[in-house]
Amino acid sequence: MSDIIVCQQLTKQYGDHKVVDRLDLRVPGNIVFGFLGPNGAGKSTTMKLLTGQIKPTGGTAWVAGADVTRNSLEARRHIGYLSELPNFYPWMKGQELLELAGELFGLNPATRKARAKELLDLVGLTDAGQRKVGGYSGGMRQRLGIAQALVNRPKVVFLDEPVSALDPLGRRDVLNLLGNIRQEATVFMSSHVLADVDRVCDQVSILNRGQVIAAGTTTELKERNAISAIIIELDGNHNAAGRLAAAIQGESWLKNATTLDNGRLKVELTSENYMHEAGQRIPRLVSELELSLRSYQAVVPNLEDVFMQLLNAANEKAESQDTGQARVLG
Amino acid sequence: MNRTIALLKKELLEQWRTNKILILVLGFLFSGLQGPVVTKLLPELIKNSSSSMQGIVITVPEQTALDAILSYVAQMSVFPSLILILVVMGTLAGERERGTQVFVLTKPVTRSQFILAKYLAFWGIVVGAIILTAAASAYYTLLLFSSSFNFGTFLVLNLGVISYSSYILALVVLCSSLFKTGVAAGGVSFVSFLAIDNLVKFIPGWTKIFPQAIFNTGTSRQVMTGATGPGELAIPVLVGLAMAALLLAIACITYEKREM
């Protein structure tokens, strides 16, 4: 099995509510995998299932070749995990905590001591290693959390919101670190900071209501869900964008025209195929209206645009299904 | 096994750094030492208070080392149990409340190992505290009273105290594994402790079987005076240990099934 994480019909249900709903997922080895979704989508629950913290209602999952739903102890030998809100023993020193983690993974005293020092250095906590964890800031705890997740040189590292408590500098360092980890492990991370995911993740899956609604590389997702739109910036007063918007109202390729701040106009097209036609027509209209064109730019979608677009579509679909079911029941 | 030892070391370090070892040892010492000290001072106290009450004469028989030892054993029942409940009630519930257990339970460690390490750490501390308290109480008894007592039967009675404390400890660990907060676990532990203690007293014959028999002054006096052999306490001691094992097993089974 070349995939390091495999979920087949993985389901977790609390009462009538399916938090994870027949999830099928395959994650190849040695990549940084982004697991995205709105709050309550089931990301943390999936991570808990994959780290053996909770048992599924149905389905199976393999992590590093071990069936985590039946023998999570074996799977846990090969994984590292950082929870969303990491909390460690406040009475313990940073170095002691990492050494304890090493001991729980069966490392000998010399190895775990050396590994603890190496990891403290890696996450920038060398000076704080002899201080009690109770005195650490949120960011320091998160760094320590990343360090403890790497103690055993895991095959898979599960990181639930690993950069949420970090300042911009810390975030940059941790993201660089995650990029480097992929040489020896697969990183499975969830994050709400989509720009970070866009920057560091090789592949992503977007989860909504416990189901994957889109998956692929970030480039694939952007291409697949490209928004056919143009941003036009005009010189002159604020009415210029409004005049141009009025002038293009009758065009067959126009889906929507929205005036933005600073005299800019966003023109959404009905299809990517009309990009060329619009590119010829709009400058001509600008000229006819005696306006001055400052910039003309095709919109390059970012992961956030794609995320919002997919999520809205999925929610609309789910709502229409709910309404349909309600009608049938009614 | 190595992982259980690693967790055991962590627990002992935690109890040391959070002063729980100190609290338990001082609590047990305070309770146990009341035996010889109060027994010694009791005649004097009663004499002083009766002198203020005209026409009332209270005669207290001369207190002996045996009375002091029996008083020590009686003192080792309620107050040490309450301290044990207060100190141990958050051992699992508190970890779940704070989220610190995730650190351990996402490593290759079974939940039973996690519970067992906690139980063994507290058990070691409690046994140490009982030995220390017994030694201090015996020393003060010999110091304060001219008479002596049988050390062999005194040791047997202390085995009973250890057995009873083992069972109380397992009861608190079980409650801590079942509830989400330390306060809830402590409350249910306390109610269960009172309920079981009273239940045993009300059902004829049970007082001789259950570990509560150790604290029955009549039974312990008979054992200490040699009226009955120390074997009389064998069943309560073994039942106490068996109850501890049973409660601990239930804690492990239920905790394995709990969601983090």
Side-chain angles (χ1 to χ4, degrees):
Chain A
M1 194 184 296
S2 61
D3 294 315
I4 196 100
I5 301 170
V6 179
C7 299
Q8 284 179 351
Q9 297 285 296
L10 193 65
T11 303
K12 183 66 186 176
Q13 193 167 346
Y14 293 102
D16 290 338
H17 181 53
K18 280 184 180 168
V19 184
V20 178
D21 189 5
R22 292 161 291 151
L23 182 76
D24 288 320
L25 194 69
R26 300 186 90 88
V27 180
N30 297 93
I31 65 162
V32 180
F33 184 85
F35 202 45
L36 313 179
N39 287 335
K43 304 185 299 290
S44 295
T45 305
T46 306
M47 284 214 194
K48 284 183 177 180
L49 286 166
L50 293 176
T51 50
Q53 294 178 64
I54 54 175
K55 294 221 178 284
T57 315
T60 323
W62 286 269
V63 177
D67 183 346
V68 74
T69 53
R70 285 185 182 78
N71 185 7
S72 74
L73 194 67
E74 178 54 30
R76 277 183 273 145
R77 291 181 207 282
H78 309 293
I79 65 171
Y81 173 72
L82 169 69
S83 64
E84 189 176 358
L85 298 166
N87 218 350
F88 303 109
Y89 300 110
W91 49 269
M92 223 174 210
K93 294 170 187 166
Q95 166 106 17
E96 287 174 343
L97 188 103
L98 295 182
E99 286 187 34
L100 172 64
E103 199 171 357
L104 295 176
F105 278 111
L107 303 183
N108 66 48
T111 310
R112 61 182 181 248
K113 195 166 187 171
R115 183 73 178 142
K117 280 189 175 160
E118 182 191 340
L119 286 168
L120 283 170
D121 191 37
L122 189 71
V123 298
L125 288 176
T126 310
D127 294 338
Q130 291 307 316
R131 272 165 47 198
K132 285 189 181 166
V133 176
Y136 280 21
S137 67
M140 289 165 84
R141 274 209 303 274
Q142 203 137 18
R143 285 160 181 264
L144 185 68
I146 292 170
Q148 63 81 33
L150 299 174
V151 162
N152 55 326
R153 299 186 191 278
K155 291 180 182 168
V156 187
V157 191
F158 291 93
L159 306 171
D160 200 353
E161 299 287 343
V163 289
S164 60
L166 300 175
D167 58 26
L169 275 177
R171 220 166 72 197
R172 188 198 61 192
D173 292 347
V174 168
L175 290 175
N176 287 340
L177 174 69
L178 297 185
N180 295 334
I181 291 172
R182 92 182 84 183
Q183 314 294 331
E184 46 185 283
T186 299
V187 179
F188 187 101
M189 65 176 273
S190 73
S191 178
H192 284 123
V193 189
L194 297 171
D196 291 345
V197 174
D198 205 356
R199 190 182 137 194
V200 77
C201 291
D202 303 297
Q203 281 194 26
V204 296
S205 269
I206 299 176
L207 198 70
N208 189 41
R209 300 178 188 222
Q211 289 181 321
V212 172
I213 55 169
T217 65
T218 50
T219 314
E220 277 169 5
L221 282 184
K222 284 182 214 167
E223 282 173 1
R224 226 184 288 155
N225 299 281
I227 306 161
S228 309
I230 303 153
I231 298 282
I232 298 155
E233 201 175 345
L234 299 162
D235 273 337
N237 60 38
H238 294 295
N239 292 334
R243 285 173 61 203
L244 181 60
I248 59 171
Q249 280 307 320
E251 300 295 337
S252 60
W253 39 259
L254 182 73
K255 187 180 174 189
N256 197 19
T258 321
T259 50
L260 306 172
D261 54 348
N262 298 330
R264 291 181 308 148
L265 181 69
K266 184 180 179 184
V267 179
E268 287 179 61
L269 311 182
T270 50
S271 163
E272 174 95 18
N273 302 332
Y274 293 119
M275 199 59 98
H276 181 70
E277 193 178 333
Q280 288 184 325
R281 181 72 179 133
I282 290 171
R284 212 176 301 147
L285 282 170
V286 169
S287 172
E288 282 171 16
L289 294 168
E290 296 181 337
L291 300 171
S292 172
L293 190 64
R294 188 183 287 169
S295 72
Y296 180 96
Q297 214 172 14
V299 172
V300 179
N302 57 27
L303 197 58
E304 192 170 335
D305 296 327
V306 173
F307 178 80
M308 293 308 296
Q309 194 184 332
L310 287 166
L311 211 60
N312 288 337
N315 285 337
E316 277 170 22
K317 191 178 164 191
E319 274 165 27
S320 67
Q321 277 175 350
D322 289 348
T323 316
Q325 278 178 349
R327 277 204 202 107
V328 171
L329 290 170
Chain B
M1 189 63 187
N2 287 343
R3 290 180 175 91
T4 311
I5 291 169
L7 288 173
L8 187 61
K9 283 193 290 185
K10 172 247 157 194
E11 286 300 326
L12 287 170
L13 186 64
E14 177 170 2
Q15 307 327 325
W16 173 253
R17 289 210 181 143
T18 55
N19 295 323
K20 285 180 181 168
I21 293 182
L22 191 69
I23 294 166
L24 278 171
V25 169
L26 288 180
F28 274 65
L29 270 175
F30 175 75
S31 304
L33 284 176
Q34 281 187 61
V37 173
V38 172
T39 306
K40 179 69 182 175
L41 296 177
L42 191 66
E44 204 62 33
L45 288 170
I46 290 174
K47 200 171 128 189
N48 287 341
S49 58
S50 67
S51 64
S52 62
M53 294 182 283
Q54 286 184 343
I56 298 173
V57 180
I58 301 171
T59 312
V60 179
E62 194 188 339
Q63 299 293 291
T64 62
L66 176 66
D67 296 312
I69 290 301
L70 294 177
S71 174
Y72 152 77
V73 174
Q75 296 293 344
M76 292 301 281
S77 155
V78 180
F79 192 61
S81 299
L82 294 180
I83 295 170
L84 210 50
I85 291 171
L86 286 171
V87 170
V88 183
M89 65 187 193
T91 189
L92 288 159
E95 287 229 25
R96 192 162 50 242
E97 216 175 349
R98 292 186 297 272
T100 46
Q101 61 169 6
V102 174
F103 165 74
V104 172
L105 296 179
T106 49
K107 309 285 181 292
V109 170
T110 65
R111 296 184 186 193
S112 296
Q113 283 175 313
F114 187 53
I115 291 185
L116 209 61
K118 282 185 177 289
Y119 183 83
L120 288 175
F122 277 115
W123 189 82
I125 296 165
V126 166
V127 169
I130 291 171
I131 292 171
L132 203 64
T133 307
S137 299
Y139 172 75
Y140 274 98
T141 300
L142 293 173
L143 197 73
L144 297 172
F145 298 89
S146 52
S147 54
S148 185
F149 59 89
N150 186 323
F151 279 97
T153 46
F154 177 66
L155 286 179
V156 173
L157 283 178
N158 278 297
L159 269 182
V161 175
I162 288 173
S163 161
Y164 181 75
S165 300
S166 305
Y167 138 69
I168 296 292
L169 181 59
L171 177 71
V172 190
V173 169
L174 170 63
C175 291
S176 194
S177 74
L178 295 175
F179 293 91
K180 283 183 179 171
T181 65
V183 175
V188 176
S189 301
F190 180 66
V191 171
S192 309
F193 158 71
L194 288 182
I196 297 170
D197 260 29
N198 284 305
L199 190 72
V200 167
K201 283 174 196 162
F202 283 118
I203 298 175
W206 279 29
T207 35
K208 289 193 171 183
I209 299 169
F210 281 83
Q212 285 83 347
I214 317 296
F215 306 107
N216 183 313
T217 318
T219 311
S220 47
R221 181 178 285 278
Q222 281 181 332
V223 173
M224 281 301 287
T225 55
T228 55
E232 181 83 2
L233 294 178
I235 291 176
V237 168
L238 291 174
V239 168
L241 295 174
M243 282 169 75
L246 178 70
L247 294 172
L248 203 57
I250 296 171
C252 289
I253 292 165
T254 53
Y255 207 64
E256 288 284 350
K257 290 177 182 169
R258 272 193 83 92
E259 302 232 315
M260 269 199 265

